[in-house]
Amino acid sequence: MMNVMRLFGGRAASAPVARERLQILLSHERGRNGAPDLLETLRSEILSVVSKHIDVDPDKVVVRMDRGKFVSMLEVDIEVPNGVQRSKMVAAT
Amino acid sequence: MAKVLVVTSGKGGVGKTTSTAALGAALAQMGQNVVVIDFDVGLRNLDLVMGAERRVVFDLINVVQGVAKLPQALIRDKRLENLWLLPASQTRDKDALTEEGVKRVIADLKTKFDWILCDSPAGIERGATLAMRYADEAIIVTNPEVSSVRDSDRIIGMLDSKTVRAERGERVEKHLLVTRYDAGRAARGEMLSIDDILEILATPLLGIVPESQDVLRASNVGCPVTLNAASSAPARAYTDAVRRLMGEQVEMTVPVERKGLMDRLLRRRAA
């Protein structure tokens, strides 16, 4: 019946989309009590490891996330110029 | 010259976030560079209504506290390349938002965008006062219902006293946006009419958005109604409102649903 209605100009039901979006979002938000989720922890630790070795220009760092149902994506894009200044933290050790 | 616009109401649930998304998208659809900012720290929802909830990395508070740069926190809309979102924080406490920090972020955004839309939280506390603090203009979202009109009156008073413009002796230009309006019920005397609301609030009318299934459908799928159902009655109302904001003379009407033959035959239930 749904398909027939769709054929005659009816639109696909939007509630299932809402349900799916909420399930994905809440699975990432629940039980954290304000604590960062895995993706956020990875992001901040990756950035701190990188900045241990080089002086990162925050303008040259792009971070993207996409929280999915089964798989999430974390993309950390850091521009490292050749001959870049090594961080003093490493130079001192 | 960038304009800072606050979308506010006092009362919750009247359609501030939906309207911010729809107005922001409508402005962007007209070629303007737009950023929408969620000021509802701890209870963000503009990301969800705009369909960007899975892509939030940094937020307004991260920027205010210097943890992230503004360009890192801005999320570009997937459908409109000149529409951007600055999400609120979901976890931190709202005291993390400072007046000085908000001032800095807005000044920075003014160099990059034509329109800065601030989605205010409900209430009259810190989040709401900070959302309106640097506004040049305000859109007061009101439902034709007694408690909403009363709270709008309260917010109008705050716009005239608690904003930077008001303190400088200037005025914040105010616009009334009536949402969830049912012309039939108003005509039968079951609902406050537009004239009633305008008489009580004495604020110029920006638009009348009719009660419509299309609004719920748009938030279900995370797409502003002006994009998701561009020819629907609420989308046309928001588009007209935006044209008025940009200085065009547009006749004030209550857009009505254009029902297709099948709609009428089947009398479809809400999707």
Side-chain angles (χ1 to χ4, degrees):
Chain A
M1 188 58 196
M2 262 324 288
N3 287 336
V4 175
M5 301 220 306
R6 226 173 277 176
L7 199 64
F8 285 97
R11 273 158 291 195
S14 60
V17 182
R19 183 187 143 95
E20 165 112 12
R21 293 175 62 222
L22 278 171
Q23 280 175 335
I24 294 172
L25 180 64
L26 296 182
S27 74
H28 287 277
E29 282 185 352
R30 266 190 195 143
R32 284 165 45 191
N33 273 331
D37 70 357
L38 176 62
L39 231 54
E40 281 169 14
T41 306
L42 286 173
R43 181 205 75 209
S44 74
E45 290 193 9
I46 287 170
L47 287 177
S48 73
V49 164
V50 173
S51 57
K52 212 167 90 180
H53 290 279
I54 56 168
D55 291 325
V56 184
D57 177 352
D59 290 327
K60 305 283 166 142
V61 179
V62 179
V63 185
R64 288 191 204 89
M65 289 192 202
D66 195 345
R67 294 179 165 87
K69 191 172 186 181
F70 303 110
V71 185
S72 293
M73 190 268 295
L74 169 65
E75 189 184 331
V76 183
D77 190 342
I78 304 166
E79 205 177 290
V80 183
N82 293 333
V84 71
Q85 180 75 42
R86 301 264 318 232
S87 167
K88 291 191 185 76
M89 284 165 75
V90 173
T93 54
Chain B
M1 187 58 193
K3 269 198 182 154
V4 182
L5 198 69
V6 61
V7 180
T8 187
S9 69
K11 191 176 185 316
V14 296
K16 284 181 296 298
T17 301
T18 312
S19 295
T20 304
L23 295 166
L27 280 163
Q29 283 168 289
M30 292 172 85
Q32 304 283 301
N33 284 317
V34 184
V35 60
V36 291
I37 315 178
D38 192 343
F39 273 84
D40 206 343
V41 174
L43 287 173
R44 73 168 171 230
N45 271 322
L46 187 54
D47 57 331
L48 190 55
V49 169
M50 301 214 16
E53 74 281 2
R54 291 159 59 164
R55 297 189 289 137
V56 174
V57 183
F58 296 111
D59 55 57
L60 176 60
I61 285 180
N62 293 144
V63 178
V64 164
Q65 295 183 333
V67 174
K69 294 268 187 173
L70 187 55
Q72 294 174 327
L74 288 170
I75 302 172
R76 184 180 231 152
D77 187 81
K78 277 184 174 167
R79 300 142 299 216
L80 293 169
E81 62 166 18
N82 48 338
L83 177 60
W84 299 75
L85 164 71
L86 182 53
S89 163
Q90 182 69 332
T91 50
R92 319 220 180 184
D93 129 40
K94 51 178 160 271
D95 293 333
L97 215 52
T98 62
E99 190 171 323
E100 203 46 46
V102 171
K103 182 183 182 179
R104 223 176 42 237
V105 170
I106 287 185
D108 204 349
L109 289 170
K110 273 183 158 180
T111 66
K112 299 179 171 75
F113 294 96
D114 302 315
W115 294 87
I116 298 156
L117 269 63
C118 304
D119 181 22
S120 174
I124 51 170
E125 305 301 320
R126 190 184 182 84
T129 53
L130 280 176
M132 69 168 66
R133 184 77 189 141
Y134 300 98
D136 300 310
E137 299 188 26
I139 293 178
I140 300 123
V141 182
T142 306
N143 290 166
E145 183 269 323
V146 287
S147 61
S148 174
V149 174
R150 178 207 204 169
D151 292 357
S152 293
D153 189 65
R154 183 85 186 271
I155 282 291
I156 289 168
M158 291 176 65
L159 288 164
D160 289 336
S161 60
K162 303 243 160 124
T163 54
V164 168
R165 272 184 172 252
E167 286 171 7
R168 284 199 203 123
E170 299 164 0
R171 46 191 289 281
V172 172
E173 202 178 325
K174 297 183 292 292
H175 311 273
L176 200 64
L177 184 68
V178 178
T179 56
R180 310 200 69 167
Y181 190 71
D182 184 330
R185 296 187 67 191
R188 289 193 299 273
E190 298 165 9
M191 182 184 261
L192 285 170
S193 72
I194 296 294
D195 287 343
D196 294 335
I197 300 169
L198 290 180
E199 191 191 324
I200 295 165
L201 294 177
T203 298
L205 184 62
L206 181 71
I208 307 162
V209 182
E211 171 80 65
S212 164
Q213 295 173 20
D214 289 297
V215 174
L216 177 61
R217 198 177 286 126
S219 68
N220 276 347
V221 299
C223 181
V225 70
T226 52
L227 279 169
N228 196 51
S231 60
S232 66
R236 283 181 287 137
Y238 282 119
T239 303
D240 282 355
V242 156
R243 287 167 62 197
R244 292 183 193 108
L245 271 181
M246 293 178 69
E248 266 184 66
Q249 294 292 324
V250 183
E251 197 199 342
M252 188 66 68
T253 55
V254 186
V256 289
E257 304 275 353
R258 290 174 185 147
K259 288 247 164 78
L261 180 65
M262 284 316 283
D263 284 299
R264 270 181 257 192
L265 287 178
L266 292 171
R267 292 200 45 141
R268 282 184 306 114
R269 285 179 302 143

